[in-house]
Each structure stands twice: as structure tokens, then as C-alpha cells.
Amino acid sequence: MSRIFYDHLIILNSLELKITDLGLGPEEKEALNQLVEETVHFRLMTRILDSLPREHHEEFLDFFHQAPHEERLLKYLQEKIEDIEDIIKKEIEDLEKSLLLEI
Amino acid sequence: MKKKSARKKKTSLREKIVSQRLQAEKEFHRKHPHAKEFFEKKGLKLENVRQHSSKLLAAGTLAGGLLLTSPQLSVPSAKLPYDWVKVLTDAGLVSPKDSPNFLAIRLKEVLPKITCPLDPEVERQISFLVEKLSGIRVRASLEGERLLTCYGLIGAEQHLPRFLGDTVSQHDEWRESGITPGRGAWGYFVKNKNELSNEDILREKYYVAVQTLYLPDWEKRQPFLRDWYQYRKVMAINPQNGQAVVAVIADAGPAAWTGKQFGGSPEVMVSLGLHQGMRKGPVLLFFVDDPENKVPLGPVDFDSSFMPKITVAESSRKAI
């Protein structure tokens, strides 16, 4: 199973519908989905590191590299960042808004 | 005019996604060069972290040696609860008054709160219980093939066009769910409407989408895997209410970033009791071992199962 510890916080229903509505072929749809996927990882990692005190960065990155699926990563972040779940959700909301704006 | 507008919309959304993708990477590198360097040293590209995760999970890495302090692991205990042993061994044949509820209560005992890959022993135990309740042989692994997980989130999908020119008005139920503008991952079910058989109609009604594209060996083992998965029979079970449905794999997806692992046709979602509200929920998905193609597609009726229920052999008792 391809799983990242923040997956359950990613809600992009409107974007998913928009992409479905485009009526793309399977390959084209897959390519577009992959771009969204990559954007999500870059944006979330940036926001997490923005919020996490610098002295914990190496430790967190090491955990993440060893087990990106491990749900205890979220617990680790919760201990160090107030409202990390809301921060992640907000970042995803912002991404969706910026993609769907004026479409 | 309409076509032109759709094309423009497509270009516009695609352009925005590409632009956001580039901007996101640039921002990450600018703000956190030490993190960029860290991933480079480890040979990990952040954009490919899902494949990295998939490989780790496939290799059974649980990261038990991490510095994290919580003793809770995401994989449940492989020990069969006492109650199950009693039911399976004493009763021999399981025919409770309310099979779905009976199943749901027992699944709660072994499934983790958040969907994740299961311990193979737990998969075996669940298969065994489902088989005893329904008379249908289900397996997490069949003929050496297995999905990335058999416990994940399923989301509602639209109808699939069965042939070129198919419209939602030609489908007899759940028209409000709509129909996908593009064909499914395996193309149309038939070339034209005249070729449409009852089996094709049922396949579209009861279909699921699974993430075949993320299977580690998907590209390497073509066309074998494509053929193996196309219309492969599966049973989806809602662990929260025990409702189950037999369906076929007729599409690929959903995208990893949706946080879902499976998609279900409107009829599948109704059968699972997941057609209202968020139209999304946890499911168990097992292959149906049905070489003679005898198991019908549709909701599983535990009480009037068409197949003889299985008695527990002495060897099975010892195994559990």
C-alpha cells in the first residue's frame, strides 16, 4: 500500500471532480494526478518544516525517510507543533483554491 | 463551441497544475535547502515518496527501531480473539441470526482504527470467517497476486460507459451518480450496444477501481497483470456494518493523493451502505476464488447463500 502519514488529511474532492470532468484518457489522467501528487508532497513538507523548530528537522527527516507511512510521525509532530493537523489541512485547502480559481 | 471551451478548460487546469508543481518544488528548495540535501544524500526524491513508502511496506518494514516512543504499531495483533475460536470451532457451521452484524462486531476486534495493510495472519483469519459466513471463498492473495492492501478507503465513482456513445440515461439505476466522460482503464466493456450482454451490464453495475498502477511490478509484468486484473472478481466488505458485495475490477484508481485506495460503482456503494453523506468509508477487499465463475455479482445475501457453508476441519481447528 502506498501510504504517507498525512494522507487522511488530504481532502481535494473538488479538484478530483474537476479532473474527472475533463474526460481525459487513462494515461493523461494518470499524468495529471501524478503532478498533483508531487505538488502535495512539496507543499506539505515545506509547511511542516516551516512550523517545526529547526533543531528537530534532521530527526523528523530521518523518521520520515525510514517510514513515511508511519502514523506515529503525526504524533511526533503534534508534540512539537500546535495544530499541525489544521496547518496541513489549510495548506491543502489553499492548494485546491489556487488550482480551481477562475476555472 | 462547447468542445472548444472544454479544451480551453483542460489546458487551463493542466497549466495551473504544472505551474503549481514547479513553484512548490522551488519554494521547498529555497526555504529548506538542508532538507533538499538530506533527501539527495538518501537518494530519495520527495516527489517519489509514495513509491518509496510502497517499497518499504512491501518489504514488511515496520520501522520498529525508530526513536518514536509510542508502543502502538499500525499493524494489528495476529492472535485470533477467543470468541472467534469458540464460534469457529464449536459451531462448525456459522449461521448467526444477523450475519452482517455478527461479522461487523468481530471485525472491529481485529481491525485497526485507521485503514492500513494487515498482517497476513489477520487476512487469513478474516478470509476464513467470511468464507464460513457466506460460503464464498475469499483470499487476500490469489494465484500469487495481491493488492497493495486489502483494507483501505473506498470512494464513490460514477457509472462507466459500457460502449462508445453510452449515456447515463441508458443505465437503469442510480443515474444521478453520473457517468465518467472518459472510458475506464480497460476500455469499453463492449464495442457497441448490440454486443452488450447481461454479464456486461452486471460488470458495470458492480465494479470497483483498484490502484493497479501503483503495484511495484505493474509495468514489468505486462500484459499478464493487465489481463489478470481485468474483471477479476472481488468481495468488498464494509467492516462497520458487515454488508458485502461481489464485484469485478473494471477500472484503475483512485489517484494516491485522494487518500482513497478503492473506488466503487454507484451500485457497489449502495450495497455497502456507503451511498450517503461523504460516500466514502473503510472496506475490506478480497479476491473471490471462483475458477468456475459460479459466484454471482451483487450484494452478498448471507442468509440464503447459494453455496454450501464450509465446515471446520480438524486441521483448521489446530491452525487457529
Side-chain angles (χ1 to χ4, degrees), chain A residues 1-2, chain B residues 54 57-58 117-118 123 139-142 144-152 186 208-218 225 228-229 232-236 249 251-253 261-262 283-288:
Chain A
M1 184 182 190
S2 52
Chain B
S54 179
L57 285 165
L118 301 177
E123 291 175 346
R139 297 283 180 268
S141 172
L142 184 66
E145 307 302 333
R146 62 183 297 124
L147 294 167
L148 291 168
T149 184
C150 66
Y151 184 38
W186 278 279
V208 292
V210 301
Q211 295 176 319
T212 45
L213 292 168
Y214 303 126
L215 290 172
D217 50 359
W218 179 250
L225 282 186
W228 195 89
Y229 277 98
R232 175 64 54 181
K233 224 175 254 184
V234 294
M235 185 192 287
I249 298 173
D251 201 4
Q261 288 73 43
F262 310 116
V283 285
L284 287 158
L285 199 93
F286 288 95
F287 295 122
V288 173

Side-chain angles (χ1 to χ4, degrees), chain A residues 1-3 7 10 16 20 33 37-39 42-43 46 50 57 65-67 72 98-99 101 103, chain B residues 13 16 20-21 28 31-32 34 47 50 52-53 56-57 63 66 70 114-115 148 181 257 260-261:
Chain A
M1 184 182 190
S2 52
R3 181 189 161 112
D7 275 350
I10 302 171
E16 195 184 342
T20 301
N33 280 330
E37 163 85 10
E38 294 173 10
T39 310
F42 279 119
R43 288 196 52 156
T46 302
D50 284 350
H57 281 200
H65 171 253
Q66 284 187 58
R72 287 177 298 177
S98 60
L99 287 173
L101 198 69
I103 282 184
Chain B
L13 182 58
K16 277 194 171 187
Q20 285 285 340
R21 159 68 181 80
F28 172 67
K31 294 179 92 171
H32 304 289
H34 58 292
E47 59 268 41
R50 200 169 289 280
H52 174 64
S53 164
L56 289 172
L57 285 165
L66 291 182
S70 166
I114 296 177
T115 54
L148 291 168
W257 52 264
K260 295 175 282 189
Q261 288 73 43

